[in-house]
Amino acid sequence: MECTCGGKAVYFRRYSGQVFCKPCFNNYFERKVHDTIRKHTMVQRGEKIGVGVSGGKDSTVLLSVLAKIAGNLEITLHPILVDEGIEDYRESGICAAEKTCKDLSFILDLPSFKEETDFTLDELQSEGDHKPCTYCGVLRRKLLNQKANELMLDKLATGHNLDDEAQAIMMNYISGNIERLHRLKGNASDPDLIKRIKPLRELPEKEIMLYALLNNLEISTDECPYAKENHRTKIRDFINNLEQDQPGVKYSIIRGWEKLAKTSRPEKTQMQKCNVCNQPTSRKICRACELTEEIKIKRGDTTKDVAD
Ligand code: SF4
Ligand code: ZN
């Protein structure tokens, strides 16, 4: 098998029957990211775009490809890595992300759960009653938003890929969570909430890994020790099995959701400022403050910073 240009094949894409050599694959991949950004009008000329990075393959590839096309799109990039405080896991991601940022001449912003909330994720999960991914998701979202506001960013790009999107859509269908389904569109309901964009949402996870390997990108392949407790893993396996029998089903899932999203409107959420941290929220006290406050109460720490 060889590429249409005659080059040595490195990839056979099952769902389209195409064969790619390395240069043709890189061209296709970078063009796809560019076209996805244009198709969904993800950025405007002159915008400051935050890039959420972790040192893993998705966000490393995202930052590397965006760095190549930022000039053409006339945007500037600001990588941010949130250190959750997960022992024997997070360090390797930070090292990989620091190396990528150094190679691409970016300064990496590195906020941490510990600095911002007084707790590492390890402490939260061992002392609290919720699943680690609940603490992680809620606090990471808050810290990224806070950082984006501090840096006066226009949008935040994340490394979510086609597989992540398909999984999130299926999970929310199964739980009937329409509000979260709408949130996948990334529309911020408050001017202080950063709008999110997902330039890799049309690219399957395995193509992202291939791009990282072919281009020798520095990535951490360590898996979060809490990942096995994640319900998403079961959904991922289910969709991957479907994809085996029916190549292209991941695209069908997101296309179906896009059609549905056009026909329905999210309920308007009334936003206000959290009584504790002053960040935007739909409640009196934001979920992040609520979660950390529960642990302070358990520890017998003061609750004086929580207003009525
Ligand atoms: Fe956070 Fe859960 Fe992901 Fe680990 S698996 S990084 S705890 S969301
Ligand atoms: Zn708060």
Side-chain angles (χ1 to χ4, degrees):
M1 266 197 302
E2 52 179 40
C3 180
T4 42
C5 76
K8 186 173 160 241
V10 293
Y11 177 51
F12 170 59
R13 192 166 59 188
R14 225 175 127 226
Y15 62 84
S16 65
Q18 283 167 281
V19 176
F20 294 88
C21 66
K22 178 179 166 181
C24 289
F25 178 76
N26 277 345
N27 274 341
Y28 143 76
F29 191 97
E30 288 158 16
R31 205 177 51 236
K32 184 92 175 172
V33 177
H34 188 272
D35 292 351
T36 304
I37 291 174
R38 288 263 191 239
K39 179 175 144 199
H40 297 279
T41 332
M42 289 182 177
V43 300
Q44 306 286 342
R45 203 185 291 169
E47 281 186 333
K48 290 172 75 175
I49 308 295
V51 186
V53 296
S54 67
K57 66 181 186 323
D58 300 307
S59 58
T60 304
V61 166
L62 174 67
L63 184 61
S64 305
V65 175
L66 285 180
K68 286 192 179 181
I69 61 179
N72 187 288
L73 295 167
E74 298 182 49
I75 54 173
T76 51
L77 305 172
H78 302 264
I80 306 170
L81 187 152
V82 175
D83 177 4
E84 307 90 347
I86 306 174
E87 214 182 332
D88 297 331
Y89 163 66
R90 180 40 74 212
E91 293 79 4
S92 68
I94 294 176
C95 278
E98 280 176 335
K99 159 110 182 28
T100 302
C101 287
K102 192 165 170 254
D103 290 350
L104 297 171
S105 307
F106 290 123
I107 295 168
L108 178 64
D109 251 289
L110 199 55
S112 74
F113 281 15
K114 185 70 180 176
E115 275 166 31
E116 301 292 331
T117 70
D118 258 358
F119 298 101
T120 62
L121 183 62
D122 290 337
E123 288 165 345
L124 289 164
Q125 79 84 33
S126 72
E127 294 180 49
D129 300 325
H130 304 276
K131 295 216 165 100
C133 297
T134 302
Y135 292 109
C136 190
V138 170
L139 293 179
R140 182 160 0 104
R141 214 170 16 254
K142 177 177 170 180
L143 260 62
L144 282 170
N145 200 64
Q146 236 169 266
K147 203 32 113 181
N149 282 335
E150 264 173 54
L151 297 171
M152 294 197 293
L153 303 177
D154 295 295
K155 284 168 194 150
L156 180 75
T158 58
H160 293 91
N161 58 43
L162 176 69
D163 296 59
D164 297 324
E165 282 294 270
Q167 288 156 22
I169 291 166
M170 288 305 283
M171 281 167 73
N172 288 314
Y173 276 147
I174 290 167
S175 62
N177 199 328
I178 303 297
E179 194 201 320
R180 278 208 182 166
L181 266 173
H182 277 291
R183 261 200 252 149
L184 292 175
K185 287 193 275 184
N187 294 336
S189 45
D190 184 287
D192 287 338
L193 278 177
I194 187 85
K195 187 175 189 313
R196 287 165 178 255
I197 57 171
K198 301 171 191 171
L200 301 184
R201 74 190 289 274
E202 308 261 343
L203 285 156
E205 186 172 20
K206 71 173 176 190
E207 291 185 7
I208 292 170
M209 183 51 119
L210 181 62
Y211 185 90
L213 294 174
L214 289 176
N215 295 285
N216 297 319
L217 300 184
E218 184 82 15
I219 55 169
S220 164
T221 51
D222 289 358
E223 195 177 353
C224 173
Y226 303 123
K228 55 188 173 302
E229 298 178 37
N230 197 329
H231 171 56
R232 182 182 278 264
T233 313
K234 291 179 199 151
I235 303 285
R236 181 192 65 196
D237 296 345
F238 166 71
I239 297 176
N240 281 344
N241 286 337
L242 265 184
E243 181 76 30
Q244 272 297 324
D245 296 343
Q246 235 181 297
V249 81
K250 291 173 188 172
Y251 282 109
S252 306
I253 294 171
I254 66 164
R255 295 290 170 256
W257 159 238
E258 281 169 0
K259 280 186 200 157
L260 256 181
K262 279 187 196 151
T263 63
S264 62
R265 281 176 192 279
E267 280 176 31
K268 260 258 175 280
T269 315
Q270 199 58 45
M271 299 299 283
Q272 50 188 309
K273 299 286 181 219
C274 169
N275 282 353
V276 179
C277 67
N278 209 33
Q279 291 292 309
T281 173
S282 56
R283 314 140 157 253
K284 273 172 99 172
I285 294 175
C286 75
R287 182 78 175 124
C289 288
E290 194 176 75
L291 288 172
T292 47
E293 193 55 31
E294 277 174 14
I295 304 208
K296 285 185 195 165
I297 291 169
K298 269 192 161 190
R299 278 185 175 180
D301 289 357
T302 176
T303 61
K304 67 178 180 309
D305 51 347
V306 180
D308 287 331

